[in-house]
Amino acid sequence: SAPDPHLQRYRLQKQKKIRRRILPRALREVGKNRMFLVFIGWMVMGITWGMTNQKWDIITATHFAVSALATGGLTAPPATEEGILPNGVALFVGFYCLFGIPLFYTAMAHFAKIMVEKHLVEADQIVIRTPMQPTEFEFAKHLCSYKDDYMHLSDFIVLYFLRRSKTNIETIELLRQQFELLDKDGDGLLTLEEATAGIFGVKKEGKRKQRFLSMVRRRHLSEIPDAI
């Protein structure tokens, strides 16, 4: 029997949708990791030179291509009886190591960055998904708000940063003091005029402002090395 034209059309449309999704994603990944492509191309050049010029097998050529870069040029082809590399060999090895060593360590740094970012994302997911304890709820519900016994989004976000050790209570208190200085009418909200007025333009009690400024000075002085 003849194939169903509607089924063929459906399959073609599905294949086009898959290509539209996969191709841009693949191009993005290639763009982000193009350093690896450059590094692999450089390694292939070293391996090819070793196999054609030095007549090495692929294992020996690969060992040279990797170890010459990883050891900072300490691995080189055999020298003459006088301990000198032939001119052509010396030129290639010098050129290969001169640009290949920075490329090697840049690629390794990029690889380490990918691994670290993956670990950080996983750690963030674990922290976010960790069930909240009742003591954490009681502690966090008043981190940013005092008007009710509910945890607001701001409280939840600050609790997350505390869990990840990305902030501390002293910093939160400094931010709260600054917010209260900017909040002229004390309604817990900042208008555009209040937010852009600046701390020194806020008309509040002098003692309150001085207490905040002294807290800021003490915090900054404690972070300055004694040698300065």
Side-chain angles (χ1 to χ4, degrees):
S1 59
D4 187 355
H6 297 287
L7 181 60
Q8 288 184 337
R9 191 180 304 113
Y10 170 76
R11 289 176 177 174
L12 289 174
Q13 291 176 353
K14 188 175 181 180
Q15 291 176 357
K16 289 180 181 179
K17 289 181 180 179
I18 293 175
R19 283 195 293 267
R20 291 196 197 102
R21 293 177 183 177
I22 294 178
L23 184 59
R25 186 181 303 174
L27 291 176
R28 286 195 300 269
E29 291 298 323
V30 170
K32 290 191 296 185
N33 301 308
R34 59 184 177 273
M35 175 59 64
F36 293 136
L37 296 178
V38 177
F39 174 67
I40 292 173
W42 198 261
M43 293 284 296
V44 170
M45 181 181 69
I47 294 171
T48 304
W49 178 85
M51 295 178 66
T52 56
N53 186 277
Q54 298 294 308
K55 308 303 179 182
W56 292 330
D57 58 84
I58 188 170
I59 296 176
T60 305
T62 303
H63 176 265
F64 161 77
V66 175
S67 59
L69 304 182
T71 62
L74 294 180
T75 301
T80 62
E81 294 180 356
E82 293 80 11
I84 301 174
L85 289 176
N87 292 336
V89 175
L91 286 173
F92 176 83
V93 173
F95 170 78
Y96 181 74
C97 292
L98 178 63
F99 296 99
I101 291 172
L103 182 62
F104 174 80
Y105 288 105
T106 302
M108 293 301 101
H110 186 65
F111 176 74
K113 179 182 176 183
I114 294 174
M115 298 300 294
V116 169
E117 286 179 349
K118 182 180 179 182
H119 171 73
L120 292 177
V121 170
E122 292 176 352
D124 286 340
Q125 293 294 330
I126 292 173
V127 171
I128 293 173
R129 295 173 181 173
T130 300
M132 190 179 302
Q133 301 296 325
T135 53
E136 287 184 312
F137 178 84
E138 293 297 327
F139 167 75
K141 68 181 182 181
H142 295 317
L143 284 172
C144 300
S145 57
Y146 294 102
K147 296 183 179 180
D148 52 43
D149 288 332
Y150 298 99
M151 178 181 288
H152 297 256
L153 176 61
S154 56
D155 301 321
F156 183 81
I157 293 174
V158 172
L159 178 62
Y160 161 78
F161 284 119
L162 287 172
R163 278 180 163 186
R164 294 287 284 122
S165 299
K166 293 183 177 180
T167 188
N168 51 50
I169 296 298
E170 291 77 12
T171 301
I172 296 172
E173 188 60 31
L174 287 174
L175 293 171
R176 190 200 310 280
Q177 292 282 345
Q178 180 175 350
F179 183 89
E180 291 175 354
L181 285 173
L182 292 172
D183 186 15
K184 294 181 179 180
D185 50 13
D187 61 351
L189 301 173
L190 290 182
T191 62
L192 177 62
E193 291 77 14
E194 291 174 335
T196 57
I199 297 177
F200 299 102
V202 178
K203 295 181 180 180
K204 284 283 184 180
E205 303 94 348
K207 292 183 179 179
R208 194 176 184 183
K209 183 185 296 184
Q210 290 178 1
R211 186 166 60 251
F212 170 74
L213 293 177
S214 63
M215 186 186 303
V216 173
R217 291 192 191 98
R218 286 197 304 270
R219 181 172 180 82
H220 283 282
L221 287 174
S222 64
E223 296 176 354
I224 297 176
D226 297 334
I228 297 180

